[in-house]
Short mmCIF file of all heavy atoms in Angstrom, two decimals:
data_model
loop_
_atom_site.label_atom_id
_atom_site.label_comp_id
_atom_site.label_asym_id
_atom_site.label_seq_id
_atom_site.Cartn_x
_atom_site.Cartn_y
_atom_site.Cartn_z
N ARG X 346 -8.51 -1.04 10.13
CA ARG X 346 -8.96 -0.94 11.58
C ARG X 346 -7.93 -0.35 12.49
O ARG X 346 -7.89 -0.69 13.67
CB ARG X 346 -9.42 -2.31 12.14
CG ARG X 346 -10.50 -3.01 11.11
CD ARG X 346 -11.07 -4.34 11.71
NE ARG X 346 -9.96 -5.24 11.95
CZ ARG X 346 -9.26 -5.93 11.04
NH1 ARG X 346 -9.63 -5.74 9.77
NH2 ARG X 346 -8.19 -6.76 11.39
N SER X 414 -37.89 16.49 21.55
CA SER X 414 -37.30 16.75 20.22
C SER X 414 -36.90 15.32 19.59
O SER X 414 -36.23 14.54 20.15
CB SER X 414 -36.01 17.58 20.19
OG SER X 414 -35.39 17.42 18.96
N ALA X 458 -34.50 12.78 26.69
CA ALA X 458 -34.58 11.25 26.74
C ALA X 458 -33.22 10.85 27.36
O ALA X 458 -32.22 11.46 27.20
CB ALA X 458 -34.75 10.59 25.37
N ALA X 465 -23.40 8.18 27.30
CA ALA X 465 -22.34 9.03 27.66
C ALA X 465 -21.97 8.80 29.17
O ALA X 465 -20.71 8.72 29.50
CB ALA X 465 -22.69 10.51 27.53
N GLU X 510 -36.17 8.11 37.96
CA GLU X 510 -37.57 7.48 37.83
C GLU X 510 -37.45 5.90 37.86
O GLU X 510 -38.64 5.24 37.79
CB GLU X 510 -38.16 7.87 36.55
CG GLU X 510 -37.55 7.31 35.26
CD GLU X 510 -38.21 7.72 34.03
OE1 GLU X 510 -39.09 8.64 34.07
OE2 GLU X 510 -37.87 7.14 32.96
N GLN X 550 -43.09 -10.99 22.83
CA GLN X 550 -43.80 -9.71 22.48
C GLN X 550 -45.30 -9.97 22.65
O GLN X 550 -46.03 -9.02 23.03
CB GLN X 550 -43.55 -9.41 21.06
CG GLN X 550 -44.08 -8.05 20.60
CD GLN X 550 -43.46 -6.93 21.36
OE1 GLN X 550 -42.22 -6.76 21.46
NE2 GLN X 550 -44.30 -6.00 21.89
N LEU X 559 -49.19 0.55 27.87
CA LEU X 559 -48.51 1.42 26.84
C LEU X 559 -47.02 1.65 27.26
O LEU X 559 -46.78 2.05 28.35
CB LEU X 559 -49.27 2.71 26.60
CG LEU X 559 -48.80 3.58 25.45
CD1 LEU X 559 -48.97 2.98 24.21
CD2 LEU X 559 -49.46 4.95 25.60
N SER X 619 -24.03 0.18 17.13
CA SER X 619 -23.04 -0.70 17.85
C SER X 619 -22.16 -1.29 16.61
O SER X 619 -21.00 -1.54 16.73
CB SER X 619 -23.69 -1.87 18.53
OG SER X 619 -24.50 -1.27 19.74
#
Side-chain angles (χ1 to χ4, degrees):
R346 302 183 307 283
S414 175
E510 70 178 10
Q550 188 63 52
L559 184 64
S619 297

